[in-house]
Amino acid sequence: SQQVWDKSENGDWHCTASWKTHSGSVWRVTWAHPEFGQVLASCSFDRTAAVWEEIVGESNDKLRGQSHWVKRTTLVDSRTSVTDVKFAPKHMGLMLATCSADGVVRIYEAPDVMNLSQWSLQHEISCKLSCSCISWNPSSSRAHSPMIAVGSDDNSPNILAKVQIYEYNENTRKYAKAEALMTVTDPVHDIAFAPNLGRSFHILAVATKDVRIFTLKPLRKELTSSGGLTKFEIHIVAQFDNHNSQVWRVSWNITGTVLASSGDDGCVRLWKANYMDNWKCTGILKGNGSPVNGSSQQGIFNASLGSANTSLQNSLNGSSASRYFFPPLDSPRAGSRWSSHAQLLPPPPLIEQSCDADTANLQYPHPRRRCVSRPLNLLPENEGV
Amino acid sequence: APLTDTVPPQVVPGADPSARQLCFAWGPAEVLVCETLFGRAGGSRSRSLSRSPCPSRFCGEGRAGAAARALTGSLAGTGDGAPSSSRVFVVRRDQDIYIQTLRKLFNESHGIFMGLQRSEEELAGKSRKAQLVQVSKNYRSVIRACMEDMHQAAVSTKDPALQGQYSTQVSILSAMELIWNLCEILFVEAATAGPLLLRLLDWVRLHVCDVDSMVREVLSSESPSKHKLFWNVVDIFVLQGRMDEARHLLSKEASANPTSMNMYRILDDLMKKMPVPSLGNTQTLTELELKWQHWHEECQRYLQDGTFASNPHMESICKILLGDEDAILEKKELMTTWYHFLVTRLLYSHPTVKPMELRFYAQSSVDLFLGGESSPEPLDMILMAAFEFEMHQVIKECSIVLSNWWFVAHLTDLLDHCKLLQSHNLYFGSNMREFLLLEYASGLFSHHSLWQLGVDYFDHCPEYGRVYLELHIERIPLSTEQKALKVLRICEQRQMHEQVRSICKIMAMKALRNNRLGSALSWSIRAKDAAFATLISDRFLKDYCERGCFSDLDLIDNLGPSMLLSDRLTFLGKYREFHRLYGEKRFPEAARLLLTLMTAHIAPCSFWMTLLTDALPLLEQKEVIFSAEQTYELMRCLEDLTAGNPDKQKFQDDDVETTKVEMLRLALARNLARVIVKEGTVEGS
């Protein structure tokens, strides 16, 4: 099933909709740009992808804080599990790409943005390998043709490139393979283009047995009969095996300055380049080993990871980044204005604002929201150089 | 040798690493982290399972689909929604942005920052430097003001946890001010030998203030000279170079002790005569050094001939005056920090220290003061880097230990304006400034109201500021029209056409979904979105057909030139004009307009029947309105419509439609008859 949570003006999160979507596991869910309204797409093991639209409900629904989502279309072209679904960058209009386990990428378009029940299958790209993930190149520059990267989790023993780049050719009006990342031969679970920021080149993150970051520099288009496909100069700018295991997800923040990845080690890791373009691990998020207590707890909690920011700031650091911790502040002595040692202290420890489900709408400063407070566990992890 | 990086994991409470995988999604400024239900013990198994239907899962190992609603702040997740599993954690960076008491710091420093960007470098040399020092002082006074507020808050709160938080903030702010002040002396003002020492003394006096209470206690006692801490206070004054205050205290002791009067007079005289650097150009360094040498020798003489031998306190003061390191170190407790020790040492042994010599004295002061007992703390490292004039190191270390980007962003910007970063590091200087400002401004954008300050910071980042602003401003939730207008104004001022269009489009779409057609239309006109305007115009016309009246008359009546955005919008405007004319009983004009709408093909064919029906009452008026020629035109329109319609069948089946057509034909025929008679009559007469 699928849930939608909305953040209210006072910062609380509420589940405004929860509904059954597919008859199999839902692999991915993704939002369309709000220019097209409130639209979601999901894909599933049940061999379909679906497009959902929120409709403004009756007034008593609004009072209950609930919203209605209706299925506008079911895309049934795949004969196998649909493993990923992504909306195209908004400048291309309302377009949707799906990929499936049988190795086909399909691109759909809604010609009338007001009628989401009509989607036409525009392109079918056969990738030969079982597909696990896709990513649109977000660049809206005229210099860049629409481009989509496809990852494969095919794990038969072969040395085929598991990441392929397809580019739209204005002349043939078809997508054609422009490049393949030959160095990536292990199963790929996720890929993500970074926001372009007006650069001439593209940055692509790949989740495979490790985290990899590639740059793709377009070379001059060949003006031969090959159809004017762009060739790229591909460089790997970072490769991290810190997860020590399969990496399942990679995702960029909005400015493409921080990459987050999650892996089988149960951690979410944050990667950031400093101003000299050195990529570093700047944060690790992991559970603290205590079980989730009770089945009544539900909701979204603000875990203010106090020193996550500090870690993020390590990125400034070119060569080394060790973190320091400071002795606790003496209680100010009588009559003195501040403590003599102007001590720097670590930011406040992680505080979980945990509360019972029935008090879910309490305001932040309410003491009951702060019933659990655990100090930060400091488990230094060697990041290597 | 390259050090290894150590990044401690941030712990998400309740998420169990041994049993659960974490999945995540990016929000505008935070990471949403959520545990999945896949057990690690069954890691390999669950991988193979990840393709099988498993309804009660957060879909897959760490690859779960939690997606933050692209631009608004909503979250969609897949999974069964079983209450036990749906804990999602919001992990924020830049937590300081949310501290209420720091708002003053962000708001007021923004003003100083903007002033600095505007201040042109027309002022050369000294006046420019004075200007930059003033800016630096302004920043520091904002830090101080915040510190006072925070201290007040800490004192007035009863909640010990909150008090702890405030105290922490006070100590962080006070450290920031300490570092900034030192950077101001060494980098911004770049004090030279002589004045440098005076500045450092001020710096120490300002920041080592926990002895103030001791001073107050002694001075306020009935007879200070009898107080057990009397000599401590005298020592403090001497160590900080506060000679007048020390002499004042000593005079009290002297008057109580007539026997040792002579000894007091000599010490008093020595303290009075101590040469100090002057801020003006009244004496050269050589003159000072010469005077200093004489004075030093005099002190030495008195010490050696045992003048103070009978009073260990005075003997120790005389040793301090001579710069005796052991004597000074004995007063460690009174100095509390190595940098106080450093400045005292400089005062009594190297008053004309040059900036570049500082590093040696600083390093040896740390070694002597800490004596290998404790290792230097981050603050020590930062101050040390400053004494070594390693500006980049200062910024780097501050970035690591401080919990906000405020400090490094503003300090680096100031140093950049001092033209220090370029000369020290040719290429990365201004890049680092922009890098830090971008980080700081991005942090501001995660706050519901402080983001407006962030806009100005982005404006002053020449390389990526604009793109960052574009990306961030798209994510400002457009929760109200007012907020949308505010964001829109910011985009319009910066000619961010695509963002302007996008905002208007989003607002138009939102209004349309809520059936607020007027608002939707005005937003799409603002977005110059012809297709959408057409769509909304159609909705207006459809509404009219159903309900027989228009909504949002004000808007449609005042379309003006924007009516030309789309054909349909033009028609809507004109059609409404027809209704107005009709309502005002200006029938001939109304009739002419109605006809034009059809003959000039402004009206969509689907709407012709409605238009013709609208003509009916005009045809039935007592007075003849349509001319013969116009009537022919109307008839042709009607025939085109009925004959040209491929769905002719529909007309015949539909009784209402058929009746309507028949009525029209009849009315037209009658009108024609009347008009022929009338026109004939007029022409005949």
Side-chain angles (χ1 to χ4, degrees):
Chain A
S1 77
Q2 195 160 302
Q3 293 187 350
V4 172
W5 291 73
D6 279 287
K7 193 175 172 183
S8 63
E9 278 295 298
N10 60 18
D12 292 336
W13 290 83
H14 300 283
C15 181
T16 54
S18 178
W19 73 103
K20 188 158 164 39
T21 49
H22 291 272
S23 56
S25 276
V26 182
W27 301 131
R28 309 254 192 176
V29 56
T30 185
W31 294 92
H33 193 278
E35 275 185 23
F36 305 109
Q38 295 301 318
V39 180
L40 279 173
S42 58
C43 64
S44 163
F45 181 79
D46 71 5
R47 297 181 289 185
T48 66
V51 177
W52 309 86
E53 188 176 22
E54 185 181 29
I55 54 169
V56 179
E58 302 296 312
S59 54
N60 57 341
D61 282 328
K62 258 189 203 159
L63 284 175
R64 284 189 292 119
Q66 293 299 299
S67 66
H68 276 293
W69 289 81
V70 292
K71 189 193 275 192
R72 290 300 187 197
T73 196
T74 306
L75 306 170
V76 293
D77 300 283
S78 172
R79 264 164 278 145
T80 53
S81 172
V82 181
T83 50
D84 200 356
V85 59
K86 295 277 163 67
F87 283 103
K90 71 169 193 287
H91 66 266
M92 293 171 62
L94 189 50
M95 287 181 110
L96 188 64
T98 65
C99 69
S100 52
D102 58 3
V104 181
V105 171
R106 293 181 175 85
I107 296 172
Y108 299 88
E109 183 172 15
D112 175 5
V113 296
M114 294 309 294
N115 182 0
L116 298 181
S117 54
Q118 281 185 12
W119 289 81
S120 57
L121 179 59
Q122 297 283 320
H123 302 280
E124 244 180 350
I125 310 165
S126 176
C127 300
K128 312 278 193 302
L129 284 169
S130 166
C131 299
S132 57
C133 48
I134 42 179
S135 176
W136 288 95
N137 184 344
S139 173
S140 59
S141 158
R142 277 171 214 280
H144 301 141
S145 306
M147 188 195 288
I148 192 164
V150 186
S152 165
D153 60 353
D154 180 290
N155 58 3
S156 55
N158 59 39
I159 51 152
L160 297 173
K162 298 300 190 302
V163 175
Q164 300 173 34
I165 314 279
Y166 291 87
E167 192 188 43
Y168 183 67
N169 186 316
E170 296 290 347
N171 301 330
T172 61
R173 301 191 175 191
K174 280 198 168 78
Y175 279 86
K177 184 146 100 182
E179 277 298 345
L181 302 189
M182 301 312 292
T183 55
V184 185
T185 53
D186 294 292
V188 168
H189 308 296
D190 201 11
I191 45 175
F193 273 109
N196 185 269
L197 301 182
R199 288 180 294 242
S200 62
F201 61 93
H202 313 296
I203 297 179
L204 182 69
V206 176
T208 168
K209 62 178 182 182
D210 49 21
V211 178
R212 294 184 203 181
I213 301 169
F214 292 92
T215 56
L216 288 84
K217 290 193 174 94
L219 301 173
R220 274 161 59 88
K221 283 198 180 190
E222 290 171 30
L223 300 170
T224 58
S225 56
S226 72
L229 272 181
T230 315
K231 286 285 155 204
F232 294 93
E233 191 185 317
I234 299 170
H235 287 290
I236 183 160
V237 291
Q239 183 168 7
F240 301 106
D241 57 2
N242 307 57
H243 282 289
N244 270 320
S245 56
Q246 293 295 319
V247 181
W248 291 101
R249 220 28 216 280
V250 282
S251 171
W252 296 95
N253 71 339
I254 52 173
T255 46
T257 48
V258 184
L259 177 74
S261 64
S262 69
D264 265 349
D265 60 348
C267 291
V268 174
R269 285 163 199 271
L270 303 176
W271 314 93
K272 191 176 194 316
N274 69 1
Y275 66 99
M276 291 164 79
D277 251 351
N278 280 334
W279 289 87
K280 292 271 173 190
C281 176
T282 64
I284 305 167
L285 311 172
K286 70 192 290 181
N288 67 351
S290 62
V292 178
N293 43 350
S295 60
S296 62
Q297 289 199 329
Q298 175 175 18
I300 295 182
F301 301 93
N302 277 308
S304 49
L305 285 181
S307 49
N309 45 17
T310 316
S311 307
L312 285 171
Q313 297 197 3
N314 283 348
S315 56
L316 178 76
N317 200 322
S319 60
S320 68
S322 30
R323 280 183 35 93
Y324 304 102
F325 290 92
F326 306 83
L329 182 72
D330 297 339
S331 54
R333 273 164 259 173
S336 77
R337 281 195 304 163
W338 340 107
S339 176
S340 64
H341 282 268
Q343 285 163 330
L344 289 170
L345 280 159
L350 176 70
I351 293 169
E352 178 193 9
Q353 285 122 27
S354 176
C355 60
D356 299 327
D358 60 343
T359 59
N361 50 4
L362 285 177
Q363 295 280 318
Y364 162 71
H366 198 287
R368 286 173 69 190
R369 275 206 75 163
R370 317 184 70 244
C371 43
V372 187
S373 168
R374 278 188 217 91
L376 199 65
N377 289 10
L378 297 169
L379 311 165
E381 170 139 338
N382 200 330
E383 291 304 322
V385 177
Chain B
L3 299 168
T4 46
D5 288 0
T6 315
V7 182
Q10 311 303 315
V11 177
V12 179
D16 183 349
S18 61
R20 291 168 195 284
Q21 306 289 328
L22 293 180
C23 65
F24 67 92
W26 280 101
E30 62 278 310
V31 192
L32 304 166
V33 182
C34 177
E35 49 199 13
T36 68
L37 285 181
F38 278 110
R40 180 147 78 163
S44 52
R45 194 165 51 90
S46 63
R47 244 200 314 288
S48 57
L49 268 181
S50 66
R51 283 295 156 82
S52 70
C54 34
S56 66
R57 319 251 127 133
F58 220 107
C59 56
E61 276 165 301
R63 43 170 301 187
R69 185 176 293 210
L71 308 176
T72 53
S74 300
L75 180 75
T78 61
D80 67 334
S84 63
S85 70
S86 37
R87 305 220 314 169
V88 177
F89 299 90
V90 180
V91 183
R92 282 203 183 115
R93 46 173 299 200
D94 292 330
Q95 196 63 29
D96 282 4
I97 296 287
Y98 300 91
I99 297 173
Q100 192 59 35
T101 28
L102 286 181
R103 283 198 65 135
K104 190 179 195 171
L105 182 69
F106 303 132
N107 276 319
E108 299 200 355
S109 57
H110 166 256
I112 303 171
F113 173 84
M114 291 305 284
L116 178 57
Q117 312 307 310
R118 274 193 298 267
S119 76
E120 280 312 311
E121 286 151 27
E122 67 220 7
L123 297 172
K126 273 204 179 134
S127 45
R128 172 68 176 165
K129 181 180 273 185
Q131 188 185 32
L132 291 166
V133 171
Q134 192 49 50
V135 170
S136 176
K137 283 184 173 154
N138 292 344
Y139 277 127
R140 281 203 292 125
S141 71
V142 173
I143 303 178
R144 287 228 148 226
C146 257
M147 201 153 70
E148 302 273 1
D149 289 353
M150 199 74 85
H151 183 66
Q152 278 309 317
V155 168
S156 57
T157 182
K158 297 268 186 296
D159 178 4
L162 211 54
Q163 199 165 25
Q165 268 179 36
Y166 288 138
S167 306
T168 304
Q169 285 300 327
V170 167
S171 83
I172 291 172
L173 285 168
S174 110
M176 293 196 319
E177 210 254 330
L178 175 82
I179 299 166
W180 192 300
N181 195 355
L182 185 61
C183 291
E184 178 183 307
I185 295 167
L186 298 177
F187 308 144
V188 182
E189 188 182 353
T192 51
L196 175 62
L197 180 72
L198 296 180
R199 293 276 180 256
L200 290 175
L201 273 173
D202 288 339
W203 176 64
V204 160
R205 285 172 198 158
L206 188 64
H207 290 277
V208 179
C209 44
D210 65 339
V211 288
D212 289 355
S213 59
M214 201 194 289
V215 173
R216 259 197 310 278
E217 192 187 329
V218 170
L219 291 182
S220 59
S221 71
E222 254 175 52
S223 79
S225 58
K226 297 277 186 304
H227 199 282
K228 63 180 193 304
L229 295 174
F230 172 79
W231 285 104
N232 277 353
V233 172
V234 176
D235 285 344
I236 288 166
F237 285 146
V238 173
L239 291 168
Q240 294 188 5
R242 290 153 79 172
M243 289 307 180
D244 292 341
E245 287 157 278
R247 285 172 54 212
H248 177 71
L249 260 192
L250 277 175
S251 69
K252 294 193 173 172
E253 170 75 359
S255 53
N257 256 332
T259 47
S260 40
M261 184 63 100
N262 190 42
M263 199 159 47
Y264 281 114
R265 233 189 31 241
I266 293 170
L267 186 63
D268 184 69
D269 193 44
L270 285 178
M271 287 163 77
K272 194 171 101 187
K273 281 197 295 193
M274 177 178 157
V276 284
S278 71
L279 277 177
N281 290 326
T282 47
Q283 62 179 353
T284 63
L285 279 184
T286 343
E287 274 169 14
L288 175 69
E289 271 164 7
L290 212 63
K291 277 193 210 162
W292 176 268
Q293 204 56 45
H294 280 295
W295 176 78
H296 205 259
E297 279 161 13
E298 197 179 349
C299 292
Q300 193 76 42
R301 230 174 15 251
Y302 284 117
L303 184 68
Q304 272 162 8
D305 66 14
T307 310
F308 305 116
S310 63
N311 188 327
H313 294 299
M314 286 203 259
E315 185 167 38
S316 125
I317 290 176
C318 184
K319 281 183 181 167
I320 293 173
L321 294 186
L322 278 165
D324 183 317
E325 266 167 18
D326 294 333
I328 297 173
L329 265 181
E330 263 176 43
K331 311 290 175 192
K332 205 165 160 177
E333 293 300 310
L334 299 177
M335 291 184 290
T336 68
T337 64
W338 66 268
Y339 43 91
H340 188 338
F341 172 59
L342 164 69
V343 175
T344 304
R345 243 179 107 200
L346 291 174
L347 174 65
Y348 294 111
S349 34
H350 311 282
T352 55
V353 64
K354 295 187 186 63
M356 284 308 147
E357 295 164 349
L358 277 177
R359 64 173 67 213
F360 307 111
Y361 297 116
Q363 188 56 57
S364 67
S365 297
V366 170
D367 295 344
L368 284 168
F369 195 85
L370 299 180
E373 286 165 25
S374 53
S375 51
E377 288 164 16
L379 179 58
D380 302 328
M381 313 278 271
I382 293 167
L383 296 176
M384 188 53 109
F387 283 123
E388 288 170 349
F389 284 82
E390 296 285 352
M391 231 168 288
H392 283 88
Q393 190 65 22
V394 172
I395 292 163
K396 190 164 119 180
E397 302 258 351
C398 288
S399 307
I400 295 168
V401 296
L402 288 172
S403 56
N404 61 61
W405 292 101
W406 179 89
F407 182 81
V408 277
H410 287 88
L411 181 63
T412 308
D413 176 60
L414 178 63
L415 295 178
D416 190 61
H417 276 88
C418 295
K419 305 229 174 285
L420 287 170
L421 294 175
Q422 289 97 324
S423 63
H424 277 246
N425 193 328
L426 282 175
Y427 178 65
F428 292 114
S430 58
N431 253 9
M432 185 167 71
R433 169 190 173 271
E434 176 157 329
F435 179 88
L436 295 170
L437 286 176
L438 290 173
E439 292 294 342
Y440 174 64
S442 298
L444 289 177
F445 258 87
S446 67
H447 190 275
H448 61 89
S449 66
L450 289 174
W451 65 268
Q452 294 164 78
L453 304 180
V455 175
D456 288 328
Y457 285 92
F458 281 142
D459 281 348
H460 289 97
C461 295
E463 200 178 347
Y464 285 118
R466 168 107 179 178
V467 197
Y468 269 60
L469 180 59
E470 287 173 2
L471 288 168
H472 277 286
I473 209 144
E474 279 203 332
R475 267 94 178 165
I476 298 291
L478 305 172
S479 41
T480 61
E481 296 238 335
Q482 203 185 358
K483 198 160 179 192
L485 287 171
K486 191 186 264 177
V487 176
L488 197 63
R489 205 157 41 238
I490 288 168
C491 294
E492 280 172 347
Q493 281 162 1
R494 286 159 185 79
Q495 276 95 48
M496 292 160 58
H497 303 301
E498 169 52 24
Q499 281 67 28
V500 168
R501 190 201 60 74
S502 185
I503 290 164
C504 295
K505 184 72 190 281
I506 292 167
M507 293 308 287
M509 190 58 118
K510 213 162 156 184
L512 185 64
R513 301 266 164 215
N514 290 306
N515 277 316
R516 288 181 291 116
L517 290 183
S519 172
L521 184 59
S522 63
W523 279 111
S524 58
I525 288 170
R526 222 169 156 158
K528 299 196 171 53
D529 186 338
F532 212 64
T534 300
L535 195 139
I536 297 164
S537 306
D538 275 342
R539 288 284 294 273
F540 263 111
L541 295 169
K542 193 171 140 242
D543 267 20
Y544 168 76
C545 290
E546 284 165 6
R547 298 189 294 139
C549 65
F550 282 110
S551 53
D552 302 284
L553 285 178
D554 268 8
L555 176 72
I556 303 171
D557 282 345
N558 295 304
L559 281 173
S562 55
M563 194 190 285
L564 300 172
L565 179 62
S566 94
D567 291 353
R568 202 57 50 83
L569 185 60
T570 316
F571 171 64
L572 176 65
K574 290 287 173 196
Y575 186 52
R576 163 62 197 152
E577 196 179 324
F578 160 74
H579 276 266
R580 199 161 44 82
L581 292 172
Y582 186 84
E584 290 165 7
K585 302 209 185 309
R586 291 152 72 182
F587 297 129
E589 285 165 273
R592 205 177 312 125
L593 179 58
L594 187 69
L595 193 58
T596 319
L597 286 178
M598 282 181 284
T599 51
H601 290 277
I602 297 168
C605 285
S606 59
F607 213 76
W608 281 28
M609 188 46 93
T610 313
L611 292 179
L612 288 167
T613 317
D614 283 333
L616 263 180
L618 289 170
L619 294 168
E620 300 292 338
Q621 287 290 329
K622 226 180 264 171
E623 217 175 307
V624 180
I625 294 160
F626 286 103
S627 68
E629 200 180 333
Q630 285 175 324
T631 315
Y632 286 128
E633 292 270 15
L634 277 175
M635 292 168 109
R636 192 172 55 81
C637 289
L638 180 62
E639 291 316 308
D640 278 0
L641 187 62
T642 48
N645 197 318
D647 258 343
K648 206 174 172 184
Q649 205 63 27
K650 196 179 134 210
F651 280 110
Q652 287 166 357
D653 289 347
D654 194 330
D655 276 351
V656 183
E657 289 297 321
T658 320
T659 318
K660 222 184 243 176
V661 173
E662 290 310 319
M663 276 173 66
L664 271 169
R665 284 195 177 127
L666 182 64
L668 285 166
R670 279 169 48 164
N671 190 68
L672 190 60
R674 283 161 63 196
V675 78
I676 288 171
V677 170
K678 187 191 161 201
E679 281 173 7
T681 313
V682 173
E683 274 164 32
S685 67

